[in-house]
Amino acid sequence: MSTIANRPVESVPAQALPAEPRVDQAVPVVVARPRLAVVRAYVALTKPRIIELLLVTTIPAMLLADRSVPSLWLMAVTLVGGALAAGAANALNCYIDRDIDQLMRRTSRRPLPAHTVSDRGALIFGLALAAVSTLLMLAFTNLLATALTVAAIVYYDVIYTMWLKRTTPQNTVWGGACGSAPVLIGWAAVTGSLSWQAWIMFAIVFFWQPPHFYALAIKFKDDYARAGIPMLPVVASLRRVGIESVLYGWLTLIASLALFFTGMTYLYGAVAVVTSALFVLEAHRMLGRIRRNEQVKPMRLFHWSTSYLTILFVIIAIDALIQS
């Protein structure tokens, strides 16, 4: 009796067998990303948390410029236009800085280093936001507000990101002009001009930014050094950084008090004195820890500086409504 084992094995043509992949042959892997994840990646390019802080200064500036409540439509358009402009500047910043972002731990998870958004996609997205914000401001505000919006985008991406950030430790100081621009844009949207009050509020935000960002730069000093970015904490001693933080803290206090003498109420004056003094005190405390070779704890100054600016501009808004 024949068995299966005794049966002759029939030959199968080689071409009929499925080809096995070569070990050295790369097999492409396509990862499908959900649409929501893609949307989130593009939103992340705009750096929403930074936009929130910038818009905190816009509304109070508009209220003070009008000495009342401006048209709600004008406020909405200015806020949306400003948010889109800031988002455009940040998205283009991510595109320009994609080479250094991948070298820094703090930024390595951003959409471009993480490859959740293509370089071309980020560039087109940023330019599209810039175009929409410009057209929106031009159509519904005025020429001065529009020009300031465009100037802020260009300054941030060309002057700061492409030049100052990579060449000088004073990049944080002069880059502060971008973060201060929303005050001027909001004022100009209401009045079509700029007054001393607008420029003093600009000065408050301008002088506030170095201590705010120096604190962050101290924490991520190694990141900036790895990427070759000459932030002040990378190229100078911590003592120098602490001294400059104190200096700009005092200039912020002076600017905030100067606004009081332009017709603000005693409510603003009292809040400005207390909050600005606490801001300066925290800068002095950080410098003291540096001098004593203690743990610097720079994020204490960073977090308080954010609270300080929010409180100060909220009281500006309240003061404007009181005077209306």
Side-chain angles (χ1 to χ4, degrees), residues 260-282:
F260 170 73
F261 295 103
T262 64
M264 305 296 285
T265 69
Y266 283 101
L267 174 63
Y268 167 80
V271 174
V273 168
V274 173
T275 56
S276 299
L278 289 174
F279 180 47
V280 172
L281 178 62
E282 194 58 54

Side-chain angles (χ1 to χ4, degrees), residues 57 89 139-140 188 191 244 250 257 265 268 278:
T57 65
F140 298 106
T191 66
E244 286 205 17
W250 276 103
L257 295 184
T265 69
Y268 167 80
L278 289 174

Side-chain angles (χ1 to χ4, degrees), residues 283-294:
H284 274 282
R285 284 174 173 169
M286 187 179 77
L287 177 59
R289 290 191 293 271
I290 291 171
R291 284 173 169 168
R292 294 189 298 271
N293 291 319
E294 297 176 356

Side-chain angles (χ1 to χ4, degrees), residues 23-92:
V23 175
D24 62 343
Q25 183 178 357
V27 179
V29 178
V30 178
V31 179
R33 292 191 298 271
R35 291 183 179 179
L36 183 58
V38 174
V39 171
R40 286 175 176 170
Y42 275 98
V43 171
L45 285 174
T46 67
K47 305 178 185 176
R49 295 183 66 180
I50 296 178
I51 293 177
E52 290 174 9
L53 192 60
L54 295 179
L55 296 184
V56 162
T57 65
T58 304
I59 296 176
M62 297 182 75
L63 293 173
L64 190 60
D66 193 75
R67 292 291 178 177
S68 183
V69 180
S71 160
L72 294 180
W73 169 250
L74 178 62
M75 291 181 67
V77 167
T78 305
L79 287 177
V80 172
L84 291 175
N90 289 331
L92 293 172

Side-chain angles (χ1 to χ4, degrees), residues 96-97 99-100 160-168 229-230:
I96 297 167
D97 276 353
D99 59 330
I100 61 175
Y160 172 71
T161 304
M162 297 180 70
W163 177 36
L164 295 174
K165 183 176 181 178
R166 299 176 183 240
T167 59
T168 173
I229 302 301

Side-chain angles (χ1 to χ4, degrees), residues 191-320:
T191 66
S193 62
L194 296 174
S195 74
W196 277 108
Q197 280 185 313
W199 285 110
I200 292 174
M201 284 191 290
F202 176 92
I204 292 172
V205 183
F206 183 83
F207 291 134
W208 162 87
Q209 283 197 113
H212 172 75
F213 199 79
Y214 282 160
L216 191 67
I218 290 173
K219 179 176 176 62
F220 296 103
K221 173 184 175 181
D222 293 341
D223 260 3
Y224 287 114
R226 189 180 301 111
I229 302 301
M231 293 295 179
L232 190 64
V234 174
V235 301
S237 66
L238 282 178
R239 183 185 179 92
R240 162 80 180 278
V241 179
I243 291 173
E244 286 205 17
S245 296
V246 168
L247 171 63
Y248 284 109
W250 276 103
L251 289 174
T252 305
L253 184 149
I254 292 170
S256 67
L257 295 184
L259 185 62
F260 170 73
F261 295 103
T262 64
M264 305 296 285
T265 69
Y266 283 101
L267 174 63
Y268 167 80
V271 174
V273 168
V274 173
T275 56
S276 299
L278 289 174
F279 180 47
V280 172
L281 178 62
E282 194 58 54
H284 274 282
R285 284 174 173 169
M286 187 179 77
L287 177 59
R289 290 191 293 271
I290 291 171
R291 284 173 169 168
R292 294 189 298 271
N293 291 319
E294 297 176 356
Q295 187 178 356
V296 179
K297 300 178 182 178
M299 297 308 286
R300 290 183 54 173
L301 175 58
F302 177 82
H303 291 307
W304 170 243
S305 66
T306 302
S307 300
Y308 160 72
L309 192 72
T310 303
I311 294 170
L312 188 72
F313 273 82
V314 166
I315 204 64
I316 290 174
I318 294 173
D319 199 279

Side-chain angles (χ1 to χ4, degrees), residues 65-229:
D66 193 75
R67 292 291 178 177
S68 183
V69 180
S71 160
L72 294 180
W73 169 250
L74 178 62
M75 291 181 67
V77 167
T78 305
L79 287 177
V80 172
L84 291 175
N90 289 331
L92 293 172
N93 167 267
C94 287
Y95 172 78
I96 297 167
D97 276 353
R98 65 193 185 280
D99 59 330
I100 61 175
D101 280 350
Q102 63 186 348
L103 302 176
M104 299 170 60
R105 291 190 181 94
R106 184 174 68 92
T107 58
S108 60
R109 294 184 180 181
R110 285 179 178 174
L112 291 179
H115 303 292
T116 53
V117 173
S118 68
D119 294 353
R120 183 172 180 271
L123 177 60
I124 293 174
F125 179 65
L127 293 175
L129 287 182
V132 172
S133 65
T134 301
L135 292 173
L136 190 64
M137 295 295 287
L138 185 60
F140 298 106
T141 62
N142 54 62
L143 189 59
L144 178 58
T146 304
L148 289 170
T149 301
V150 174
I153 297 173
V154 173
Y155 190 98
Y156 183 67
D157 289 316
V158 178
I159 305 299
Y160 172 71
T161 304
M162 297 180 70
W163 177 36
L164 295 174
K165 183 176 181 178
R166 299 176 183 240
T167 59
T168 173
Q170 292 302 308
N171 49 22
T172 300
V173 177
W174 297 110
C178 311
S180 309
V183 171
L184 301 182
I185 294 170
W187 190 284
V190 173
T191 66
S193 62
L194 296 174
S195 74
W196 277 108
Q197 280 185 313
W199 285 110
I200 292 174
M201 284 191 290
F202 176 92
I204 292 172
V205 183
F206 183 83
F207 291 134
W208 162 87
Q209 283 197 113
H212 172 75
F213 199 79
Y214 282 160
L216 191 67
I218 290 173
K219 179 176 176 62
F220 296 103
K221 173 184 175 181
D222 293 341
D223 260 3
Y224 287 114
R226 189 180 301 111
I229 302 301

